[in-house]
Amino acid sequence: MKLNIALLAGDGIGPEVIDQAVKVSDAVAAKFGHEITWAPALTGAAAIDAVGEPYPDETHDVCVAADAVLFGAIGHPRFDNDPSAKVRPEQGLLKMRQKLGLFANVRPTFTFPSLIDKSPLKKERIEGTDLVFLRELTGGIYFGKRGREDNDNTAYDTCTYTRAEVERLARKGFEMAQQRSKKLCCVDKANVLETSRLWRETVQKLEKEYTDVEVSYEFVDAVAMRLVQWPNSYDVLITENLFGDILTDEASVISGSMGLMPSASLGEKTSLFEPIHGSYPQAAGKDIANPLATVLSAAMMFETAFGLQDEADAIRTVVNKSLAEGVVTEDLAEGGKAYKTSEVGDWLAKNI
């Protein structure tokens, strides 16, 4: 199979971890007889520095022409520390989601047997955890009307959702639940928010079409507690943009490191795959960042975008082997040998 993949390394550690995912993907392609064409493009602070825009039209054209997008990270402290900055790297991420129609962020959370004691939660609480969040990406408070008034002393952000946006995301959740344990949880704040009541109404109507799926409805604050208490009680969870942003970061540390969890952002035509961690600028250029989340994002890409299950499984198998054998970066080494980012990538590719 010929695979045309847009490569958006981005900022901070993005280029370093993306390099390792490319090594591993090329090794898988060679093993299974595929041909990958990589199409690099600028985004984030790197794109602002180059052309003054965090998601240039040229980058969008590359993404649209690709079969899938593999993405690193966006963000730089010089923008974080400047509240008056008019152009920010994160604006590129929102623009990319809008223009590519990436409406469903898929974030799995699972545990690794060799790392279960590294989790901040007790072993008996997290064993067997294998859940996935579907976060709506194109609506909600991040895209609503916002502004200042009262001589700049009052600020407002508006949360808006359409029934069509909710239904589109919810259907993905029902379909995913049908392929897993047939359990779906709708996360909202319907006791307070009108948008949440729209979410709940819409999902309740869809229940009639997916009679094999058991649906529960929980308030976001209750889910935040249960993720810490009994995360293995959940399977598929669907929620709006802001709630999903917060809850998925909470869930990500269950495995023991944010450097381990992959994600996918699904669109009608194009899908994007990325690690859930940020750009970690303090580690940029030091060859110490954990590349495994990006490598596992490549596994999601082979599976989801191309339907290549064996190739995805090959990547996941070698990642589990690296963890079991201690071929890890300093965040997981704990007194043992700490491998460099590039060394982990080389080891994974060689073992594939």
Side-chain angles (χ1 to χ4, degrees), residues 56-83:
D57 291 341
E58 294 81 357
T59 297
H60 181 65
D61 292 341
V62 170
C63 293
V64 169
D67 301 317
V69 180
L70 188 60
F71 173 61
I74 272 182
H76 195 284
R78 76 173 183 272
F79 296 95
D80 298 337
N81 298 327
D82 182 7

Side-chain angles (χ1 to χ4, degrees), residues 103 136 138 161-171 198-199 202 206 268:
F103 67 89
E136 203 287 324
T138 61
Y161 266 108
T162 67
R163 194 177 298 276
E165 288 172 327
V166 178
E167 182 174 329
R168 180 172 62 173
L169 188 281
R171 285 193 183 279
L198 177 67
W199 270 80
T202 305
L206 287 176
E268 298 292 352

Side-chain angles (χ1 to χ4, degrees), residues 53-110:
E53 161 64 46
Y55 183 63
D57 291 341
E58 294 81 357
T59 297
H60 181 65
D61 292 341
V62 170
C63 293
V64 169
D67 301 317
V69 180
L70 188 60
F71 173 61
I74 272 182
H76 195 284
R78 76 173 183 272
F79 296 95
D80 298 337
N81 298 327
D82 182 7
S84 64
K86 300 300 182 185
V87 181
R88 298 177 176 277
E90 292 77 12
Q91 292 170 345
L93 189 57
L94 296 178
K95 185 177 179 181
M96 178 165 56
R97 288 171 180 168
Q98 272 193 318
K99 292 189 71 173
L100 291 176
L102 305 176
F103 67 89
N105 182 231
V106 182
R107 276 206 187 184
T109 293
F110 47 86

Side-chain angles (χ1 to χ4, degrees), residues 213-275:
V213 177
E214 177 188 346
V215 184
S216 62
Y217 299 86
E218 295 187 32
F219 297 144
V220 61
D221 43 345
V223 173
M225 289 189 292
R226 281 188 61 195
L227 278 176
V228 174
Q229 294 173 313
W230 302 111
N232 54 16
S233 66
Y234 289 116
D235 186 33
V236 178
L237 303 96
I238 58 173
T239 193
E240 60 109 82
N241 210 337
L242 177 61
F243 296 162
D245 193 0
I246 296 168
L247 291 175
T248 53
D249 273 7
E250 180 190 9
S252 71
V253 298
I254 290 172
S255 67
S257 171
M258 277 193 72
L260 293 172
M261 290 293 110
S263 76
S265 295
L266 308 180
E268 298 292 352
K269 294 182 179 179
T270 305
S271 294
L272 178 145
F273 302 85
E274 63 177 309

Side-chain angles (χ1 to χ4, degrees), residues 46-232:
I48 294 174
D49 291 342
V51 299
E53 161 64 46
Y55 183 63
D57 291 341
E58 294 81 357
T59 297
H60 181 65
D61 292 341
V62 170
C63 293
V64 169
D67 301 317
V69 180
L70 188 60
F71 173 61
I74 272 182
H76 195 284
R78 76 173 183 272
F79 296 95
D80 298 337
N81 298 327
D82 182 7
S84 64
K86 300 300 182 185
V87 181
R88 298 177 176 277
E90 292 77 12
Q91 292 170 345
L93 189 57
L94 296 178
K95 185 177 179 181
M96 178 165 56
R97 288 171 180 168
Q98 272 193 318
K99 292 189 71 173
L100 291 176
L102 305 176
F103 67 89
N105 182 231
V106 182
R107 276 206 187 184
T109 293
F110 47 86
T111 56
F112 300 86
S114 59
L115 297 180
I116 201 160
D117 291 327
K118 295 184 184 297
S119 173
L121 302 182
K122 293 179 180 178
K123 178 179 179 180
E124 60 267 25
R125 292 193 180 273
I126 64 170
E127 278 186 317
T129 296
D130 181 11
L131 61 86
V132 60
F133 271 95
L134 270 77
R135 165 192 169 195
E136 203 287 324
L137 279 183
T138 61
I141 201 165
Y142 292 164
F143 294 96
K145 184 179 179 182
R146 67 193 62 185
R148 299 279 185 100
E149 57 188 20
D150 186 26
N151 294 322
D152 213 32
N153 289 312
T154 301
Y156 61 89
D157 298 275
T158 307
C159 183
T160 304
Y161 266 108
T162 67
R163 194 177 298 276
E165 288 172 327
V166 178
E167 182 174 329
R168 180 172 62 173
L169 188 281
R171 285 193 183 279
K172 286 286 186 184
F174 275 107
E175 291 164 5
M176 187 169 291
Q178 285 179 320
Q179 297 168 8
R180 291 169 55 94
S181 299
K182 294 182 170 55
K183 288 170 53 182
L184 179 73
C185 178
C186 176
V187 183
D188 59 35
K189 192 65 176 171
N191 57 336
V192 176
L193 301 177
E194 193 62 34
T195 47
S196 283
R197 287 189 273 274
L198 177 67
W199 270 80
R200 190 169 290 210
E201 287 173 14
T202 305
V203 176
Q204 286 173 337
K205 288 182 179 179
L206 287 176
E207 273 192 72
K208 301 171 184 176
E209 299 181 32
Y210 300 91
T211 55
D212 57 332
V213 177
E214 177 188 346
V215 184
S216 62
Y217 299 86
E218 295 187 32
F219 297 144
V220 61
D221 43 345
V223 173
M225 289 189 292
R226 281 188 61 195
L227 278 176
V228 174
Q229 294 173 313
W230 302 111
N232 54 16

Side-chain angles (χ1 to χ4, degrees), residues 5 45 152 196 198 268 286 289 295 331 344:
I5 303 171
D152 213 32
S196 283
L198 177 67
E268 298 292 352
K286 296 180 181 179
V295 170
D331 59 312
V344 173

